[in-house]
Amino acid sequence: MGASTPRHHSSSPFQRSLLSRRIITFALYALVPLALLHYLLSFPPSPAPTTSSPSPPQGPKIAAAAGAAGGAARKITAPRCDYSDGAWERSEAGPLYNGTSCGETIKAAQNCEAHGRPDTGYLRWRWRPRGCALPPFDPAEFLRLVRGRHVAFVGDSLARNQCESLVCLLSSAFPAQLVRGAGGGDGDGDGDELRKFRRWAFPSHNATLSVFWSPFLVNGTEKAKGAAVGKGLDHNRLYLDQPNERWAAEVPGIDVVVLSAGHWFLHSALFYDRGAVVGCHHCPEPNRTETGFFGAFRLAVRGALREVVLRGARAQRRQGGRGAPKLAVLTTFSPAHFEGDWDSPTACARTEPYAPGERAMEYMNGEMLRAGAEEVAAAAADAQARGAGLTVEALQVTRMAGLRADGHPGAYMHPFPFAGGARERVPNDCVHWCLPGPIDAWNEILLQIVKRWADGVDADASSSSSP
């Protein structure tokens, strides 16, 4: 038998239809990977580490949090101006206040002028964003925008630092009345509860400004002040699933909340979730696995923002969606500038900012910035989905702050540290900011964020009331 010879037939309509469907199917399969590639390339990558420092190891639960929330960040509309990208430029204009005119508000350790810092050049710089203008701070405009409203700062001593800067800026033109917290200490140690929870009123505009001490943003137990000499708890305990009701309970009465924290996460700590230890940093107990603090910081920011969103959403439901709009702002991590030993006279003795490109952002600072920015984006999307009547914004100061090693109190955290001559060892504060000083620029940006929010609120109110 010979091999059969193939015969050719004209295709039937059914065969032509089948062939068409196969071609379409194959085309779709070919397009899927191309679409996925386009999706992955269409978004900018997360900030890459600028040094070769390795990331601390992460425990299972906290490590999962450290990489989450990035997807929601892609859905947030970019701000009209990227204030984080720019340079410090010399300015002839001086600050609106000084260590004398606002001395009762400024924490003594940040009143560099009163403590005898001899140079004043650090006061003659202004932040210039690359893509837009940043107007000087206008006390009248800020108070107009928050007329009849309550602005609250929540966080650690840098939150208080920024709050006191804002009080000083505003009170340079309008009188402020301290209505809560008079007579407190310097606000950092045990027994200084009054200063940790201060409140000011601006009667000219019926506006209120408060500060709430909450160094972890979520519920936590702080290590004892005497821990260094063996007295009391020698580590922090953070309850990542629990809100800090000291401030969260007041959210319904707050119109603008500014969250700021970070440096307390660098200390020895145990991290809890639902009563169980889920990680630790500089682990204070044996047989614990070091997880680092990046994930814990992310979870704390997430938890704090979630409380603002959820309580805002509940308030909107109770009021049938007609509740007053709110604004939540996260001030991103503000880097320290210790060079060498913390008690060296030159630990942070610069007198001018770094030039752009002169100092790369350290890996830790970049990770803290990324965590904060991504959690803000996720919270903004959540607030919109829930109809919470809440705008969530990031005040990105990490890059601009990283260039201002000249703006810290340094040795002048104490009065006239070199009055008796040169010293080999002297305590330094290279974390907080002199007042007045670079941190005043944070509030120039805050003013623009509040303006964009308040103008939008007013525009919505006008359109809804139009016939």
Side-chain angles (χ1 to χ4, degrees), residues 174-189:
F174 299 91
Q177 296 177 359
L178 182 63
V179 296
R180 187 180 73 183
D186 270 350
D188 284 332

Side-chain angles (χ1 to χ4, degrees), residues 25-52:
T25 302
F26 292 149
L28 288 175
Y29 277 121
L31 288 173
V32 166
L34 292 175
L36 179 61
L37 179 63
H38 173 75
Y39 175 80
L40 293 174
L41 294 177
S42 62
F43 298 119
S46 298
T50 54
T51 72
S52 58

Side-chain angles (χ1 to χ4, degrees), residues 368-394:
M368 298 292 270
L369 167 61
R370 183 166 70 92
E374 290 179 353
E375 292 303 324
V376 163
D382 187 33
Q384 185 174 15
R386 294 178 183 273
L390 175 72
T391 299
V392 186
E393 297 264 9

